[in-house]
Amino acid sequence: MSTNSNSIPSHATIYDFDVVVVGAGHAGTEAAAAAARLGARVALLTGNLDTVGQMSCNPAIGGVAKGQIVREIDALGGLMGQVIDETGIQFRLLNRRKGPAMHSPRAQADKKAYQQAIKTSIEYYPGISLIQELVEDLEVEDLPSGRIQAEESIVPPATEQTQPGFRKHRIRGVIVRGGACYRAPAVVLTTGTFLQAIMHTGEAKTAGGRAGEGTTQGISGALARLGIQLSRFKTGTPPRLNAKTIDFAATELQPGDDDPQPFSYLTESITQSQIPCYITYTNESVHALIRENLHRAPMYSGQINSTGPRYCPSIEDKVVRFADKDRHQLFLEPEGPRTAEIYVNGISTSLPRDVQDAILKLIPGLERAEIMRYGYAVEYDFSPPDQLLPNLETKLVEGLFLAGQINGTTGYEEAGSQGLLAGVNACLKIKGQEPLVLSRDAAYMGVLIDDLVTRGVDEPYRMFTSRAEYRLLLRQDNADRRLTRLGYELGLVDYDRFQRLEIKEREIGAAKAQLDAGRVDEASGTKYLRRSEVSWDEICGHIPELRSYSREVADQVLWDIRYEGYVNRQQLQVARQQRMSEKRIPLSFDFQAIRGLRNEAKQKLTKIRPLSLDQASRISGITPADIALVLAHLS
């Protein structure tokens, strides 16, 4: 086979691994750990060992829908939940006043402690070799001309024909600066915002994917040579302030919860002291100053043309898009107990330094605040994710997986979940086993991946509860009940964690039996508990033996019973979707040959190459009539 990369010198050093992971951020560390838990020998390569697991932006984990993802990562044995429990400095359960499907855990982190804990975990993780290397190219081999390569575990066997989107190459490894090669049959790219990255602060531009760090050039070129399309996104970060220069008395106190809830199912309780955050606001004077200087903002001067995250806009974007608002909320979030740095959440900006200085002087409590790090925007390459199969493997290069911001997402949690699934599937790939593809009713992680590979992205993707049509099934409290057994069967989860789940399930069953047997006002305890005004403490007053169960078990019983009717309806919808999922579409299926199918549908179906009718039905612009024609042709 011929190689389709830079030639490797005959004297080059070659290292052999099962899986190579490029990048050691939130996606890369979860990918490496997941593959290692499945028994792979993993090389985790990073350009800088001092930034493993770094929180480049907000020093927090979780939030609306994001907290659910972290609980799912933990239920599958991932790192993020346990590390934030260990290093968190303020814990809050968001949306407590709403139903359980909306409850979302969030925690401020001790930024440096979190990073160090991730790094230490990876350094001592069995099966992982953490190495400082700068990856400059990919080594691949060409597949036989015109032959479709497809695993039966993903799609039915392929036929001998050539169509757009079929694999042309197989990964062999990566080449690092200096010419050494790390060989592996599976490679996971988790390069974050570092592909041909440029940082902007006003008119000033510097190369780099994060303040104080460089950029990666070679990987973008390698992907482009292999036929993988690249595009550009931008993200931003706010200034960091010195706490000693802030008048906190002029702001609103935001304390943590009195009963802090852990992220990990292995954490019994949060025992460390919590640190308060604070709230202040912009005002009309701030907005007027920003409007006066829009011509100096890279997003409005034409210096940046790429798209940024709609749901986390810059302050200049907020002022323009929400011109009717006279103020915007800002959160002053400590970056840790051993630093004076304060992260100003809500004022992400790439305005010039002098404008950032002037803005702060107009905000209550920040009139004398000193900026320790100025805000900036980062423009970077990403690979549109509709070029991926549902196992996060590229359609064009067998064995090459992408995870994290390279797929057009934003956020530590979205990155971590993709990394975990890519690491798992890279390992399953080399073992010749079926991939792990979570359905939309199984996990927020499944919703995320399906959205990416089926619909693509036109802006940085962020998870919300509204994206999940089965969110009542996907609560943050039941992630272990949904995923831990699966994780144990795969080998991702150890026996101790699985045994915890087994004990919990037995206790839930026993509590439900006692409720059924108990009587309250001539009704069973179960029927009485269905009333929205009845609390668990009240039912325990009628059936005292229920007091022996933990709060965790009590919540599961309460919500299982109270939302049983809604859950049953959602499960009927799931069953209908599963019937469509069983209608498989071969990777070699020729959509162009379907008579009567609209040209737009032919183009979209050929580009996405859905693996089932269910996936095809979710492609933007595909109609029920299109699906009927595809089904008839399949039959």
Side-chain angles (χ1 to χ4, degrees), residues 125 433 634:
Y125 218 92
Q433 297 177 6
L634 280 170

PDB file of all heavy atoms in Angstrom, residues 125 433 634:
ATOM      1  N   TYR A 125      -2.480   6.424  35.077  1.00  0.00           N
ATOM      2  CA  TYR A 125      -3.527   5.560  34.535  1.00  0.00           C
ATOM      3  C   TYR A 125      -2.897   4.343  33.869  1.00  0.00           C
ATOM      4  O   TYR A 125      -2.047   4.475  32.991  1.00  0.00           O
ATOM      5  CB  TYR A 125      -4.364   6.320  33.510  1.00  0.00           C
ATOM      6  CG  TYR A 125      -5.832   5.994  33.539  1.00  0.00           C
ATOM      7  CD1 TYR A 125      -6.715   6.741  34.312  1.00  0.00           C
ATOM      8  CD2 TYR A 125      -6.349   4.939  32.796  1.00  0.00           C
ATOM      9  CE1 TYR A 125      -8.066   6.453  34.349  1.00  0.00           C
ATOM     10  CE2 TYR A 125      -7.697   4.643  32.818  1.00  0.00           C
ATOM     11  CZ  TYR A 125      -8.557   5.403  33.598  1.00  0.00           C
ATOM     12  OH  TYR A 125      -9.890   5.110  33.629  1.00  0.00           O
ATOM     13  N   GLN A 433     -14.971  -5.498  17.242  1.00  0.00           N
ATOM     14  CA  GLN A 433     -16.255  -5.616  17.923  1.00  0.00           C
ATOM     15  C   GLN A 433     -17.207  -4.516  17.466  1.00  0.00           C
ATOM     16  O   GLN A 433     -16.790  -3.517  16.879  1.00  0.00           O
ATOM     17  CB  GLN A 433     -16.057  -5.543  19.439  1.00  0.00           C
ATOM     18  CG  GLN A 433     -15.227  -6.680  20.000  1.00  0.00           C
ATOM     19  CD  GLN A 433     -14.995  -6.549  21.492  1.00  0.00           C
ATOM     20  OE1 GLN A 433     -15.537  -5.667  22.144  1.00  0.00           O
ATOM     21  NE2 GLN A 433     -14.175  -7.430  22.039  1.00  0.00           N
ATOM     22  N   LEU A 634     -35.522   0.212  -0.779  1.00  0.00           N
ATOM     23  CA  LEU A 634     -34.847  -0.797   0.045  1.00  0.00           C
ATOM     24  C   LEU A 634     -35.589  -2.132  -0.029  1.00  0.00           C
ATOM     25  O   LEU A 634     -34.988  -3.200  -0.126  1.00  0.00           O
ATOM     26  CB  LEU A 634     -34.774  -0.322   1.504  1.00  0.00           C
ATOM     27  CG  LEU A 634     -33.681   0.676   1.865  1.00  0.00           C
ATOM     28  CD1 LEU A 634     -33.919   1.208   3.269  1.00  0.00           C
ATOM     29  CD2 LEU A 634     -32.308   0.021   1.773  1.00  0.00           C
TER      30      LEU A 634
END
